[in-house]
Amino acid sequence: MKTFEFRVIASGLDPDAEDFADRFFQAGCDDATISFQRGRIVLDFDRSARSIGEAIASAMESVRKAGATVERIEPDPLVSLSDIAARTGLTRAAMTQYSKRQRGKNFPPPIARVTSDSPLWDWAIVAKWLYANNKLSREAAIEAEAVRLANTAVTSRDSQFRESLESSVQAYARSLEAA
Amino acid sequence: MAGRPSHPSKEIEAAVAFAEEQGWSWVKVSGHAWAKLLCPHHDRDGCALFVWSTPRNPENHAKQLRRQIARCPHRPAGENDENL
């Protein structure tokens, strides 16, 4: 068993209600710290599980059992160059050079706000590139993909989510070896 | 700060004291939560943070509390170190 750190952003329960915290406690969120920030319920999890996929899927189940709606999983899959620098410990200057392709080979292009001054990258795609270039651990690359998949599943209402996330993450881990 | 009980976990008590130093206030609640902490921005936009009496792992809970306190966007101007 390993402990995985991530956040679940949720909605649908009133933080001023008498039973607000108890609902989460009884649903098994006693390994999370709950706050209400910017109008959202935020649960900081430190969840022990066999894999990141199982940790995230079981946490989402706990949050839903409490009666809340899962909105998003963080660390968010959409990242700026500053976010990438913060997550990897690489310098902001190095990230700029990678993105301008003055350094390294084929850094992935941004996927959102592409035409703006502050484009955003898909963390899972960037993490895979960083792993291939020995700048990031294999575990971190797998966690990035797991969080990306979980955020895709949040909107899809897949009832077999736990199994499908687990198998997708395993398939991804195998593909990393081949990369 | 006077008049509140101490949390039985040393680590959690230290995290709560840290919150109070940052201007957070302590509110009693009933049930499994030991208390609710309110950030310095005391209105509907402010942050609320729940402290458990018996979290699964007190050390992790204390660490999570500190992380959440550090993430509060209502600190005095100039202390926000995000997006440098």
Side-chain angles (χ1 to χ4, degrees):
Chain A
M1 298 283 258
K2 201 187 154 214
T3 302
F4 298 94
E5 278 180 26
F6 55 90
R7 295 187 290 281
V8 175
I9 312 301
S11 66
L13 289 176
D14 177 5
D16 293 324
E18 187 91 331
D19 64 346
F20 176 75
D22 277 5
R23 277 172 167 271
F24 287 106
F25 193 93
Q26 280 150 11
C29 298
D30 58 331
D31 56 349
T33 295
I34 299 160
S35 68
F36 192 74
Q37 280 185 0
R38 296 184 161 124
R40 291 290 188 206
I41 302 164
V42 179
L43 297 104
D44 263 60
F45 276 95
D46 269 87
R47 178 148 291 203
S48 294
R50 277 176 292 130
S51 67
I52 178 70
E54 185 188 290
I56 293 176
S58 71
M60 287 169 72
E61 283 171 13
S62 301
V63 171
R64 285 177 177 148
K65 200 169 141 201
T69 305
V70 175
E71 300 286 351
R72 195 113 177 129
I73 310 297
E74 293 187 354
D76 203 274
L78 278 178
V79 289
S80 65
L81 290 179
S82 298
D83 297 329
I84 299 169
R87 286 184 191 188
T88 55
L90 296 164
T91 64
R92 182 68 174 75
M95 290 322 307
T96 304
Q97 288 175 335
Y98 287 135
S99 72
K100 290 182 175 168
R101 308 209 173 172
Q102 293 161 346
R103 205 167 143 178
K105 260 190 199 159
N106 300 324
F107 188 79
I111 60 148
R113 289 170 49 162
V114 174
T115 59
S116 78
D117 289 336
S118 48
L120 297 172
W121 279 259
D122 180 327
W123 172 236
I125 295 173
V126 173
K128 190 172 189 176
W129 184 90
L130 290 166
Y131 169 71
N133 287 271
N134 298 316
K135 304 281 181 217
L136 193 74
S137 73
R138 180 172 176 273
E139 290 70 33
I142 293 170
E143 289 188 28
E145 176 68 4
V147 172
R148 188 190 70 77
L149 287 166
N151 275 298
T152 311
V154 162
T155 47
S156 77
R157 297 269 167 265
D158 178 359
S159 58
Q160 302 298 310
F161 171 61
R162 196 164 175 159
E163 291 74 18
S164 59
L165 179 63
E166 193 60 32
S167 59
S168 304
V169 172
Q170 280 171 14
Y172 180 77
R174 284 192 297 275
S175 80
L176 271 187
E177 307 307 329
Chain B
M1 330 260 133
R4 76 162 173 85
S6 292
H7 195 286
S9 154
K10 185 163 49 83
E11 290 91 353
I12 296 173
E13 172 58 29
V16 173
F18 170 70
E20 287 171 334
E21 281 166 27
Q22 308 288 311
W24 292 60
S25 46
W26 186 94
V27 181
K28 187 179 163 41
V29 289
S30 59
H32 291 287
W34 174 74
K36 181 160 79 172
L37 302 175
L38 299 174
C39 91
H41 193 78
H42 266 238
D43 67 14
R44 284 154 51 97
D45 296 328
C47 308
L49 183 52
F50 290 85
V51 183
W52 297 126
S53 300
T54 53
R56 202 174 297 180
N57 180 322
E59 282 175 34
N60 283 351
H61 188 45
K63 184 188 68 187
Q64 291 162 348
L65 287 169
R66 285 177 184 273
R67 208 156 50 199
Q68 295 240 18
I69 294 159
R71 210 188 299 136
C72 168
H74 307 114
R75 286 179 291 173
E79 286 188 27
N80 211 321
D81 51 9
E82 268 180 56
N83 301 319
L84 282 178

